[in-house]
């Protein structure tokens, strides 16, 4: 085991016993939601995973250690510090670790640390992707590259249309990442259940998700699998409301010359401000929904014997 990796005793025991474990990211805590809802949600997500038969492993970088399994105190610390915590993607790890600093893990670094610890299933809200206008800006999230090389199943609610969803799917196709719709043929668009874009395969049960992932890893295919799980109907938002907010957020980002790693957090915060509490409530519900599915899928996966 590398000297930077620190797996909590509970997660270590569960993995050793072959019990289901679900990884969770920390950028959603520090940069994705305001305090204190971020901390409340993170703890509720962990409880939901337990209620569905798995052990949660919230992942973060604390004091230069790659943590798989944070304590409630560590979650509170990251949530309170919010945007002051470094948003840590793959390129940030070397310096943060060498300096013994903190970092909130994105989908990319959460996948990396999960894989180092031996965790195969990861639940989150939304992933990064190809940004609108990427033809000019080259803004393509490192999350897509990570999905192409690291063997973790990522369960999300699709991607927000702050991204170019069509180009995001093209990129994933090129990189050989299977995009699965859970109970749907259509890629969900985070706050809404519909995007107009098809997924590669529809799968309807956690057992079949587990079987597909097991088949992939058994034959040594590198890379992950993206499972897109639509927000429950009763919490989904009207497409017109959310799309108007996204357009406005994109305009402001362009006017203010926002770029690089600030781009996604800026857009997320603007969309939230423009739609008031509605988008936050939807965001919380879809994460809980993904946590449930991830716990059941991790349980199904741990039931598969070679
Ligand atoms: N999309 C969301 N919510 C999020 C993120 C993306 O709807 O919280 C976060 C995730 O941590 C994701 C990261 O991995 O932003 C992507 O950032 P970037 O686009 O800079 O790669
Ligand atoms: Mn980017």
């Amino acid at each position: 085991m590398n000297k930077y990796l620190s797996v909590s005793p509970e997660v270590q025991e569960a993995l050793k016993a072959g019990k289901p474990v679900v990884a969770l990211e920390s950028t959603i805590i520090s940069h994705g939601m305001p305090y204190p809802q971020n901390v409340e949600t993170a703890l509720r997500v962990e409880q939901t995973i337990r209620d569905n038969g798995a052990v949660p492993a919230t992942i973060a970088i604390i004091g230069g250690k790659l943590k798989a399994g944070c304590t409630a105190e560590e979650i509170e610390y990251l949530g309170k510090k919010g945007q002051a915590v470094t948003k840590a993607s793959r390129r940030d790890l070397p310096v943060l670790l060498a300096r013994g600093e903190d970092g909130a893990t994105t989908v990319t670094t959460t996948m990396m640390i999960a894989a180092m610890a031996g965790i195969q299933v990861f639940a989150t809200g939304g992933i990064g992707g190809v940004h609108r206008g990427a033809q000019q800006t080259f803004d393509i999230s490192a999350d897509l590259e990570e999905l192409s090389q690291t063997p973790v199943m990522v369960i999300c609610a699709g991607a927000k249309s702050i991204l170019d969803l069509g180009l995001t799917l093209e990129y994933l196709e090129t990189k050989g990442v299977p995009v699965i719709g859970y109970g749907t043929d259509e890629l969900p668009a985070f706050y809404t259940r519909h995007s107009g874009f098809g997924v590669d395969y529809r799968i309807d049960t956690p057992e079949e998700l587990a079987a597909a992932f097991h088949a992939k890893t058994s034959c040594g295919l590198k890379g992950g699998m993206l499972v897109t799980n639509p927000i429950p109907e009763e919490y989904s938002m009207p497409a017109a409301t959310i799309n108007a907010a996204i357009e406005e957020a994109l305009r402001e980002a362009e006017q203010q010359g926002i770029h690089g790693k600030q781009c996604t957090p800026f857009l997320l915060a603007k969309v939230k401000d423009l739609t008031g509490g509605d988008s936050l409530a939807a965001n919380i519900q879809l994460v809980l929904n993904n946590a449930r599915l991830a716990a059941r899928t991790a349980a199904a996966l741990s039931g598969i014997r070679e």
Side-chain angles (χ1 to χ4, degrees):
M1 220 182 246
N2 81 52
K3 70 170 184 170
Y4 294 101
L5 183 63
S6 162
V7 182
S8 76
E10 187 194 12
V11 170
Q12 223 168 66
E13 270 165 43
L15 289 169
K16 212 169 130 205
K19 288 193 190 142
V21 178
V22 174
L24 299 162
E25 65 156 301
S26 44
T27 292
I28 191 175
I29 304 175
S30 60
H31 291 66
M33 289 183 195
Y35 181 81
Q37 287 93 339
N38 55 359
V39 172
E40 282 162 22
T41 303
L43 297 175
R44 251 179 101 186
V45 167
E46 288 207 339
Q47 189 57 47
T48 301
I49 286 170
R50 291 185 196 285
D51 294 344
N52 286 276
V55 171
T58 296
I59 289 182
I61 301 160
I62 298 187
K65 290 277 181 270
L66 305 167
K67 292 257 184 190
C70 286
T71 62
E73 292 71 34
E74 287 166 336
I75 289 173
E76 168 75 21
Y77 168 76
L78 293 167
K80 215 168 194 169
K81 252 183 117 177
Q83 310 252 351
V85 182
T86 302
K87 175 184 157 196
S89 191
R90 179 176 267 269
R91 60 99 186 261
D92 300 287
L93 292 186
V95 175
L96 290 181
L97 297 188
R99 289 183 176 165
E101 289 182 4
D102 299 331
T105 54
T106 62
V107 168
T108 295
T109 39
T110 305
M111 288 180 77
M112 292 171 69
I113 298 166
M116 287 177 200
I119 303 169
Q120 295 187 299
V121 180
F122 162 23
T124 188
I127 59 156
V130 180
H131 280 259
R132 297 206 212 168
Q135 297 89 333
Q136 263 73 45
T137 62
F138 273 43
D139 191 352
I140 299 174
S141 175
D143 293 354
L144 301 184
E145 287 296 322
E146 208 58 45
L147 280 161
S148 77
Q149 54 175 310
T150 301
V152 172
M153 186 194 309
V154 179
I155 300 184
C156 68
K160 293 195 177 89
S161 43
I162 56 172
L163 302 174
D164 187 319
L165 300 181
L167 292 186
T168 300
L169 289 173
E170 293 290 354
Y171 200 97
L172 289 167
E173 180 188 357
T174 301
K175 293 286 176 176
V177 179
V179 179
I180 310 297
Y182 188 71
T184 179
D185 294 304
E186 197 181 340
L187 179 77
F190 198 88
Y191 296 117
T192 60
R193 294 171 62 86
H194 305 286
S195 68
F197 292 96
V199 292
D200 303 333
Y201 293 94
R202 169 183 175 151
I203 287 184
D204 293 322
T205 63
E207 289 70 27
E208 205 197 337
L209 288 177
F213 189 74
H214 179 73
K216 182 182 195 313
T217 49
S218 298
C219 41
L221 292 178
K222 73 175 184 133
M225 192 167 119
L226 186 65
V227 177
T228 62
N229 185 27
I231 184 172
E233 189 83 60
E234 62 269 41
Y235 303 112
S236 74
M237 294 185 65
T241 311
I242 199 69
N243 289 337
I246 286 171
E247 295 294 342
E248 172 62 23
L250 286 165
R251 260 195 304 277
E252 289 188 35
E254 173 149 22
Q255 275 163 8
Q256 296 183 37
I258 306 290
H259 64 273
K261 71 192 289 189
Q262 276 79 41
C263 190
T264 298
F266 178 90
L267 293 170
L268 297 180
K270 274 286 167 227
V271 169
K272 195 209 81 220
D273 290 348
L274 291 165
T275 50
D278 289 357
S279 65
L280 181 59
N283 201 345
I284 292 169
Q285 290 302 328
L286 65 85
V287 177
L288 293 170
N289 190 46
N290 295 341
R292 271 188 293 274
L293 178 59
R296 291 176 191 157
T297 303
L301 199 53
S302 68
I304 297 178
R305 295 283 166 256
E306 300 306 317

